[in-house]
Amino acid sequence: ETIKEIRTNISPFCIPLKTMKSHLKQRARSKKQHESRFQLCVLLCCFITSPLLTLASPRRAPIVPSTRFFFRNNDQQQQQRQTQMLNIRGGGSDDSLYDASSSTASLTPSLRSLVEEAVRCNRKIVVVTGGVLSGIGKGVTASSIGVLFRSMGLRVTALKIDPYLNVDAGTMSPFEHGEVFVLDDGGETDLDLGNYERFLSVSLTKDSNLSTGKIYQSVIEKERVGDYLGKTVQVVPHISDAIQEWVLRVAKTPVSRFSTLGSHHSTKNDDITQPEAPEVCIIELGGTLGDIESMPFVEALRQLQDHLGYKNMCFIHVSLIPVLGSPSEQKTKPTQHSVKQMMQLGLRPDFLCCRGKEPLESGARSRLNL
């Protein structure tokens, strides 16, 4: 009897609970329908407005992914867009799409002419930098890369950048910097230039060795004469522009005794006595990347890559892969930090040349690929 009384008392409340459940279910269905209708309206609005957006900015991709029904891209326009991407700053075969005058309008007349000449001649520049520690083997790496270019039949020249304030290596102690290498024109330079001449079979000049003392001395001499017309001489843009002019001037200067390993005509006297303009210039940036004395050169090389184009100038970074632990394990963290610091300076390495006691393992290579 007690249970019957409880059921009779609860029964009036059971009906509202059932109706509430049904009301909640119906509300959820209507909410889903409203959401689907809203999504459909947004999609239709995007389809309607996307042709207008495409007409307003033809070089940008449409916001909504294209479909066969709503978007039918013209093959010719798509091919032209891909060609423009391949020819960024003179990097492709069609030089008409690259307007060197528009990208170098703010440069000085001397630097502008050198940049336009390098782009027109399709001259390539390879920069070798080093990280983690000094004396890691940048000179041998640059010389070996030059030998590979020579084996392809290309004419190669070299430039060594030393960040120290000395004008040349003639007054430096051999215990600190090694022996002095004297060139044919009497220039007292770094010993790396001897490696360049032996590897590349060329006769370099004293301009092939650039130091901070040399570049500052040339800028101060111009300021004393009045070439800057009373302007405030600063590191940027005067020192950086002077470095770029020096690099481009050395890159186009013919050097004697050119010979190619892959050519059978290299033994003729005509090819040896008549120097031609180089096709590739290899630049070695001395010291460790991130040193305060090499900052003007880093900034100048960054600007030079922006002027010449990313297809005409590349960076090769030489780093260390130490092996630690009783079960030998290759550590890639020093190289990762070195590349990170290089990217913070505005440079991005295109190739990594890793030095270690053992060949790179697959795991270390996969981590460095990131």
Side-chain angles (χ1 to χ4, degrees):
E1 294 179 357
T2 306
I3 293 173
K4 289 181 180 180
E5 292 179 359
I6 293 172
R7 286 180 178 176
T8 54
N9 294 329
I10 293 178
S11 59
F13 298 98
C14 293
I15 298 172
L17 290 176
K18 291 181 181 180
T19 55
M20 186 179 295
K21 287 182 180 180
S22 62
H23 178 69
L24 290 177
K25 289 181 181 179
Q26 186 178 1
R27 188 175 180 183
R29 292 194 200 98
S30 61
K31 186 177 181 181
K32 290 182 180 179
Q33 291 177 0
H34 285 301
E35 288 180 355
S36 60
R37 290 174 184 174
F38 178 74
Q39 292 176 358
L40 181 60
C41 292
V42 170
L43 188 61
L44 290 175
C45 291
C46 293
F47 282 147
I48 293 171
T49 57
S50 56
L52 301 177
L53 296 174
T54 307
L55 292 175
S57 57
R59 293 187 178 180
R60 293 185 179 180
I63 298 176
V64 182
S66 60
T67 59
R68 291 184 180 180
F69 181 76
F70 291 99
F71 298 97
R72 294 181 180 178
N73 294 327
N74 193 356
D75 295 338
Q76 186 176 1
Q77 293 180 356
Q78 187 175 3
Q79 185 178 3
Q80 185 178 3
R81 191 181 299 112
Q82 293 177 357
T83 307
Q84 290 177 357
M85 292 300 295
L86 291 175
N87 288 276
I88 293 177
R89 296 194 181 276
S93 58
D94 189 6
D95 295 335
S96 62
L97 295 176
Y98 171 65
D99 189 5
S101 60
S102 61
S103 63
T104 60
S106 61
L107 301 179
T108 59
S110 58
L111 181 56
R112 187 188 304 117
S113 62
L114 289 172
V115 170
E116 291 175 356
E117 189 270 339
V119 174
R120 184 173 59 253
C121 296
N122 199 21
R123 188 174 295 114
K124 308 300 181 182
I125 294 179
V126 179
V127 182
V128 179
T129 61
V132 181
L133 47 86
S134 60
I136 199 170
K138 299 185 296 295
V140 178
T141 302
S143 303
S144 304
I145 293 171
V147 172
L148 295 177
F149 284 128
R150 284 185 59 238
S151 64
M152 298 170 62
L154 299 174
R155 298 184 298 272
V156 187
T157 187
L159 172 64
K160 174 65 184 298
I161 297 178
D162 289 313
Y164 48 72
L165 288 174
N166 302 69
V167 177
D168 55 26
T171 58
M172 299 181 67
S173 173
F175 295 101
E176 294 183 3
H177 200 69
E179 293 292 336
V180 176
F181 186 80
V182 182
L183 300 174
D184 292 344
D185 60 354
E188 297 175 341
T189 61
D190 189 82
L191 193 60
D192 286 329
L193 271 75
N195 294 330
Y196 298 158
E197 288 195 348
R198 285 189 289 269
F199 276 71
L200 304 179
S201 298
V202 295
S203 180
L204 301 175
T205 61
K206 59 183 179 181
D207 291 337
S208 299
N209 188 201
L210 177 60
S211 64
T212 304
K214 272 187 182 179
I215 202 68
Y216 272 85
Q217 186 181 30
S218 64
V219 172
I220 291 173
E221 288 177 355
K222 290 182 180 180
E223 188 272 333
R224 291 289 86 191
V225 177
D227 291 347
Y228 295 109
L229 302 176
K231 294 182 179 179
T232 304
V233 181
Q234 297 176 327
V235 176
V236 179
H238 299 96
I239 297 295
S240 59
D241 288 352
I243 294 172
Q244 296 178 63
E245 291 180 9
W246 193 298
V247 169
L248 294 176
R249 191 166 56 249
V250 171
K252 75 170 187 176
T253 302
V255 292
S256 59
R257 286 196 306 165
F258 268 127
S259 64
T260 55
L261 295 177
S263 177
H264 297 289
H265 303 286
S266 60
T267 57
K268 290 185 179 181
N269 295 327
D270 296 338
D271 297 336
I272 298 176
T273 58
Q274 295 179 359
E276 299 181 14
E279 297 173 320
V280 180
C281 179
I282 300 176
I283 302 173
E284 177 190 350
L285 181 58
T288 306
L289 201 65
D291 295 339
I292 191 170
E293 59 264 16
S294 63
M295 289 301 175
F297 297 101
V298 172
E299 175 62 22
L301 293 174
R302 185 195 66 80
Q303 295 179 12
L304 185 60
Q305 188 184 35
D306 186 46
H307 298 327
L308 292 178
Y310 300 97
K311 297 294 182 179
N312 293 330
M313 186 173 177
C314 72
F315 288 88
I316 299 176
H317 189 63
V318 184
S319 184
L320 179 67
I321 303 294
V323 178
L324 299 176
S326 53
S328 61
E329 181 182 1
Q330 293 180 345
K331 300 294 183 179
T332 60
K333 192 61 68 177
T335 302
Q336 294 178 20
H337 283 286
S338 180
V339 172
K340 181 181 179 181
Q341 188 175 15
M342 184 177 181
M343 295 175 65
Q344 289 176 350
L345 296 175
L347 305 179
R348 187 180 184 88
D350 299 286
F351 300 94
L352 285 178
C353 184
C354 301
R355 181 175 180 179
K357 295 182 179 180
E358 301 174 356
L360 278 179
E361 300 175 354
S362 59
R365 188 180 291 108
S366 61
R367 289 193 295 271
L368 293 176
N369 287 336
L370 300 176

